[in-house]
Structure formats: C-alpha cells, structure tokens
Amino acid sequence: MSEPECVPAEPGESELLNQSAGFLLNQTATVIRMSTAKKLVPFGILPRHISILETIAHHGELSQQEIGERLGIDRTSMVQFIDRLESLELVARQVNPEDRRCYALCLTPGGQTALVGIRRAVIEAQEPFLQPLSGAEWEQMRVLLLKLLRGQAR
C-alpha cells in the first residue's frame, strides 16, 4: 500500500479561515490576550483573572459559585483563580451572612487600587492591535461584538 500524496497548499490566505467567525475571533482573542498578559506581569495576574475582579467590582460581594456561573468558569478553576487573587491580597473571602456554608468575595482596598492600574493596562494592551481602526470603527465593532454575545444569552 502506497502512502497518500500530500497536496501543497495554495499560496495566500485560506478562504475558509477568512470566513470563519470562530477562527477570526479566536485569533483576535489570542493576540490581545498575549499582549494583555505582558502588561499584567507587574500585577501578578493573568487575563483570566480580570473578569473575576470586574464582576466583584460591578456586582459587589458574590459567592465563588455565583461568579463562576456568571462567567462560565468551573468550580475547580474558580478555586484556583480565587486562591491566586487572595494570595495577592486583591480579593478577600468573608463569611456570607445569608448562607454560612459559602463565602462572599469582595475586593480588598489593595484590589480596588490595583484594578485602576489593571484597567489602564488592558487599554494599553489593546491599543496597538486596534490602531488600524478609526475610533468610529472600533466603536462599531465593539457594539457588534456585544450584540453577538447578548444574542447568545437568550
């Protein structure tokens, strides 16, 4: 039995990949995530920690379970993420007065201060990537991405 012959790829970009929302969004996210990770080194966190900090900042004290459900993060990962944020003294676990079986998470004063710098780092990380777009184009893209995400929440 002979081995199948490999056909060389055509030069240029893949038409399928250029038409794939998943591929393009994933590639975009990868580039921004890598740039963001570099900017977050001084804070000791990774991009995946930002959504947890922002959720607590926006909604106030929540349980790990509530945050995990809102963000689609499994329990095991949530424990690891919160342990890291707590070790950096950005988040504190407090006994939940409504349910003593679980903890409520809150931002520490240091977490609130760090979040200001983290937000600035996120903006700085995405600026080079968004530079080819005008302000109006970025705003249009932002609105369309939100529309897509909100359409999935139904």
Side-chain angles (χ1 to χ4, degrees):
M1 181 190 258
S2 65
E3 292 198 26
E5 185 178 327
C6 291
V7 179
E10 292 292 321
E13 298 176 335
S14 165
E15 194 59 35
L16 174 62
L17 296 182
N18 283 339
Q19 297 297 317
S20 169
F23 176 78
L24 293 171
L25 290 170
N26 187 52
Q27 291 297 104
T28 299
T30 298
V31 169
I32 293 173
R33 190 172 30 256
M34 290 170 47
S35 176
T36 301
K38 289 177 187 174
K39 292 283 187 179
L40 293 176
V41 167
F43 299 97
I45 66 169
L46 298 170
R48 62 182 171 229
H49 294 108
I50 297 169
S51 59
I52 296 169
L53 293 170
E54 285 291 343
T55 299
I56 297 169
H58 183 74
H59 295 285
E61 294 182 5
L62 296 170
S63 71
Q64 283 181 208
Q65 182 179 351
E66 289 173 307
I67 295 168
E69 287 171 2
R70 287 174 187 259
L71 300 175
I73 301 172
D74 66 85
R75 289 182 192 190
T76 304
S77 297
M78 272 302 295
V79 170
Q80 293 172 350
F81 297 158
I82 299 304
D83 285 349
R84 177 66 182 159
L85 293 171
E86 189 176 40
S87 74
L88 293 169
E89 299 181 357
L90 300 176
V91 168
R93 289 177 168 111
Q94 299 179 337
V95 175
N96 185 342
E98 295 176 18
D99 184 353
R100 301 187 69 76
R101 296 170 296 166
C102 66
Y103 291 97
L105 300 171
C106 65
L107 288 180
T108 64
Q112 292 173 340
T113 300
L115 195 51
V116 173
I118 290 166
R119 288 172 177 155
R120 188 173 26 253
V122 168
I123 298 299
E124 289 173 4
Q126 73 182 19
E127 281 178 349
F129 182 79
L130 296 174
Q131 201 267 335
L133 301 179
S134 69
E137 288 171 325
W138 160 233
E139 181 59 18
Q140 182 181 20
M141 185 171 90
R142 189 186 69 76
V143 168
L144 292 172
L145 289 170
L146 286 169
K147 184 176 182 179
L148 288 170
L149 290 170
R150 290 178 180 142
Q152 297 305 304
R154 295 179 188 164

